[in-house]
Amino acid sequence: MMNYLLSPSSLAVIGGTNNHQKKGGRVLINLQKSKFPGRLYAVNPNHKEVFGVPCYSSILDIPDEVEAACIIIPAPEIPEVIRECVRKGVKMVSIFSSGFAETGDEGERLQREILSIIKGTNLHVYGPNIPGLFDFRKKWGLSFSPKFEPHRFFSGSIGVITQGGSLGRAIIDANEKGIGFSYWFSPGNEIDLDTNDFLKWLVDDDHTDVILMILESVPDPERFIEVVNEASNRNKPIVVLKLGNSPLAIKAIEKHLGINRNRHLSWSLYKHPGIIQVDDLDELIGVGWLLQKYNQVMNGRVLIYSWAGGSSILMTDMCERYGVSLPPMTRSLREKFEALTPQNRSIMNPLDLTTAVYENLSLFNKGLRLAIDSGEYDIILIPIPFKIENLTEQMALHIIDLAKNTKVPLVPVFLTTGELSGTTYEMIANSGIPYFTKTETAIKSLALFLRYKQMPNILRGGNYYEKINYTRGSG
C-alpha cells in the first residue's frame, strides 16, 4: 500500500495548471524538481500540456495505467473525481485540497461520501487537507511549497510525522543544520490512512532509527500503543510533542483538522517508557538529533568544560534543575589538570580553565584531550559564551577534529545569539556535530536523551497497553 504513495510508477496531478502561483502548478514544478522517475500526467480540461507534462480532461482519458493521483481542486468536486479514480484503477490518492471536516458539517459530509466511495475498493486516500510528504532518501516529494529544493535534502535516520504542515516544515528545516531525515508524513484530516499507519511504517523501516511526532490527537489509542510497543522492542525511540494541553487549544485542534473531541487523550497515554515527551520544537529536534548521532550505551556522566566561570555556573544550575549528573573528577584526573594549569587551584566539575586560555590556547586543546582520554565522562558540554577574536574559531576547529576521532560526544552550546552569525558558529553548524543555541534547551534535551539511554530495555519492551490508564476527552 505505502509503495503506491512513496514509489508510484505513474502519477497524475488532478488540477495541474501552468500558473506557478497556484498549488496545482507548484506541485507539478516540484515533482519535476524531484526528477520524479515515473510517468507524470496532468488533468485539467483547460490545458493540453502543463509545464511540458501531457494534460488530459479526465483521468479516465489517460491512455496508460495510473497508480497514484494528487488532487488539487475544490472540495465539492472531489467525490466525483474519486469515483473516476476507482474506475481507472488508481491505488493511491493524495488530497491537498482543504474544505472538509475542518470547515464544518458540509465538509464532514464530503469526507463521509469519499469514504463510502472507496469502501471495498483497492483505492486508499492520504489526506485530505495535506501539505504533502518528503522522501529524503530518494530526494523527492509531494509539495506545493515555493521553497521546495529536494536536491538539497540531507538524508538520515530520523522519521517525522506531524498532524499539521507548518510545524512539520519547521522541523524539517533543521535539515539545513545537518540533521538527516528519512521521511516526513503529514496526513491531514486522516479519513483513511492515519497517523498510526505511518508510525507503523516507520517502525518497520530499516532506514529509520528515531521517530519524531507532533500529535494533536490519536485516532486509535489501542493500536497506537501496540505500535509503540513494537518500536520499543526494536529500540526505536519515539519523541513526541503533544499539542492541545488546554481547553482553548483543544478547541483550536478541532477546527484545524476537523477532529472530533473524543479523539483527544490525556498525557497518560504518552507515558509509555518508549516515548520521550518534549515541550517545544527545539527540544523535539535536539533530542532527536542526539539520539540519531549517538547510539552507544551511556551512564550519564557529564562534564562541563569551560574557560569562563560564569558560563559553567549557569550550565551547572541548569543541570541541577533537570537532573543531569555532574560527577566530580577523580583525584588522578584532577592532578593531571593541575599539572597542566599549575596556577589554577579550583579544578572540579564544572571545569573553568579561566582566561589563561587567551594567552595559551594549547591549554584548551590539551585539557579537552585529557578529559576525553580519562574515560570518566560520557558527554562533554562545551559552552561558547562570546567571541574571542579568532580564538573561538581555533577552539571550534579543535572540537571538530576531536569529535571525528572519539566516541565521547562533544556538545557545543552557544550562550548568546550574538555568536550565531560568526565564523565559529558556521564552522560548528557545518560540521555535523549536534549543537545548541539555547542553554535550557541544551540541558533539558540532554536530560531526556540520557534518561532514555539509561532506561533498562525491559521497561521499553513488552505489552505496555495494560499498564496505561488513559482517559478520553481531556488535553
Side-chain angles (χ1 to χ4, degrees):
M1 175 178 63
M2 287 296 183
N3 286 336
Y4 295 121
L5 181 63
L6 293 167
S7 303
S9 62
S10 51
L11 177 63
V13 179
I14 301 174
T17 172
N18 282 309
N19 187 341
H20 64 84
Q21 294 183 334
K22 291 187 175 182
K23 290 181 181 180
R26 292 202 298 268
V27 167
L28 271 169
I29 291 172
N30 290 338
L31 282 165
Q32 291 174 320
K33 282 183 180 180
S34 298
K35 295 182 171 57
F36 175 69
R39 299 188 308 276
L40 190 59
Y41 309 95
V43 174
N44 187 326
N46 299 316
H47 301 287
K48 296 296 183 183
E49 186 178 278
V50 175
F51 295 124
V53 174
C55 188
Y56 299 87
S57 295
S58 163
I59 194 169
L60 296 174
D61 295 333
I62 298 175
D64 307 310
E65 178 184 0
V66 179
E67 283 192 346
C70 297
I71 298 181
I72 317 163
I73 60 176
E77 300 174 18
I78 292 179
E80 182 56 36
V81 169
I82 294 291
R83 290 186 178 91
E84 292 178 351
C85 287
V86 170
R87 289 169 58 192
K88 183 66 177 176
V90 175
K91 303 297 191 299
M92 181 68 66
V93 165
S94 301
I95 303 177
F96 284 84
S97 309
S98 56
F100 290 89
E102 77 279 3
T103 63
D105 293 343
E106 176 58 20
E108 289 184 8
R109 187 197 66 76
L110 287 173
Q111 288 191 181
R112 290 194 299 271
E113 184 176 357
I114 292 172
L115 276 174
S116 67
I117 294 169
I118 66 172
K119 185 177 181 180
T121 73
N122 294 321
L123 177 64
H124 286 280
V125 172
Y126 176 52
N129 193 21
I130 61 165
L133 64 87
F134 288 5
D135 181 339
F136 289 84
R137 295 185 59 251
K138 295 181 180 177
K139 296 185 184 299
W140 89 283
L142 301 175
S143 174
F144 55 79
S145 170
K147 294 177 62 178
F148 183 74
E149 298 294 342
H151 66 280
R152 297 169 65 179
F153 282 177
F154 178 70
S155 66
S157 59
I158 298 178
V160 180
I161 303 171
T162 64
Q163 292 174 320
S166 60
L167 292 183
R169 287 304 306 265
I171 293 175
I172 61 178
D173 278 351
N175 201 224
E176 297 177 3
K177 297 171 65 174
I179 302 176
F181 298 108
S182 55
Y183 302 93
W184 170 46
F185 301 107
S186 186
N189 292 17
E190 304 183 68
I191 67 171
D192 182 22
L193 299 179
D194 63 28
T195 296
N196 289 331
D197 293 316
F198 295 105
L199 178 58
K200 169 65 173 170
W201 195 88
L202 290 175
V203 169
D204 291 340
D205 178 47
D206 292 337
H207 303 286
T208 300
D209 297 324
V210 180
I211 300 168
L212 308 185
M213 304 183 75
I214 298 181
L215 293 179
E216 300 182 16
S217 67
V218 174
D220 182 343
E222 291 87 350
R223 187 179 178 219
F224 177 72
I225 292 300
E226 288 174 0
V227 180
V228 172
N229 281 334
E230 290 184 40
S232 295
N233 289 329
R234 298 182 186 210
N235 287 321
K236 285 193 179 185
I238 300 173
V239 190
V240 175
L241 172 58
K242 176 184 176 292
L243 307 182
N245 301 302
S246 67
L248 185 58
I250 290 174
K251 186 175 181 180
I253 286 174
E254 293 167 3
K255 298 295 184 182
H256 181 207
L257 298 175
I259 293 172
N260 189 279
R261 179 178 294 272
N262 66 11
R263 282 181 53 175
H264 298 293
L265 301 160
S266 71
W267 258 121
S268 60
L269 179 67
Y270 302 89
K271 290 182 179 178
H272 191 295
I275 291 177
I276 302 171
Q277 303 172 21
V278 298
D279 294 322
D280 65 26
L281 283 174
D282 286 337
E283 289 174 24
L284 185 73
I285 294 167
V287 174
W289 201 3
L290 291 171
L291 288 166
Q292 175 188 241
K293 189 72 175 180
Y294 307 117
N295 58 11
Q296 64 264 40
V297 175
M298 293 188 182
N299 294 316
R301 303 167 301 170
V302 176
L303 170 67
I304 296 175
Y305 188 85
S306 172
W307 69 87
S311 62
S312 65
I313 295 169
L314 171 64
M315 297 192 83
T316 299
D317 281 339
M318 289 290 180
C319 287
E320 289 287 323
R321 179 183 301 176
Y322 291 109
V324 174
S325 174
L326 301 174
M329 292 184 183
T330 63
R331 180 177 178 179
S332 173
L333 182 57
R334 191 170 64 249
E335 288 176 348
K336 290 176 181 177
F337 269 104
E338 289 172 350
L340 181 66
T341 58
Q343 304 302 317
N344 190 344
R345 293 303 178 207
S346 58
I347 300 299
M348 60 179 294
N349 184 17
L351 178 64
D352 175 16
L353 292 174
T354 77
T355 55
V357 299
Y358 298 177
E359 300 177 358
N360 185 2
L361 185 60
S362 67
L363 294 179
F364 178 87
N365 300 344
K366 292 177 181 178
L368 191 52
R369 181 81 262 178
L370 272 179
I372 292 170
D373 291 343
S374 72
E376 295 185 16
Y377 297 100
D378 300 295
I379 289 181
I380 299 177
L381 286 173
I382 307 174
I384 303 177
F386 49 82
K387 301 176 184 178
I388 317 172
E389 297 179 346
N390 69 336
L391 288 180
T392 47
E393 295 173 12
Q394 294 180 49
M395 291 177 182
L397 282 172
H398 191 67
I399 292 168
I400 293 166
D401 184 59
L402 283 177
K404 294 176 182 176
N405 301 294
T406 178
K407 291 184 178 180
V408 178
L410 308 179
V411 182
V413 182
F414 294 89
L415 303 191
T416 68
T417 56
E419 179 61 28
L420 301 187
S421 60
T423 306
T424 303
Y425 173 77
E426 293 172 359
M427 292 165 64
I428 294 291
N430 292 329
S431 70
I433 300 172
Y435 66 92
F436 292 87
T437 58
K438 296 178 183 177
T439 308
E440 187 168 16
T441 299
I443 304 305
K444 191 174 179 185
S445 298
L446 184 62
L448 293 168
F449 165 74
L450 289 173
R451 196 175 303 157
Y452 180 87
K453 298 295 287 187
Q454 296 173 79
M455 189 181 299
N457 286 340
I458 191 171
L459 292 179
R460 294 205 296 263
N463 184 359
Y464 196 78
Y465 178 70
E466 297 298 329
K467 305 174 189 177
I468 292 182
N469 178 24
Y470 68 89
T471 57
R472 297 182 181 271
S474 58

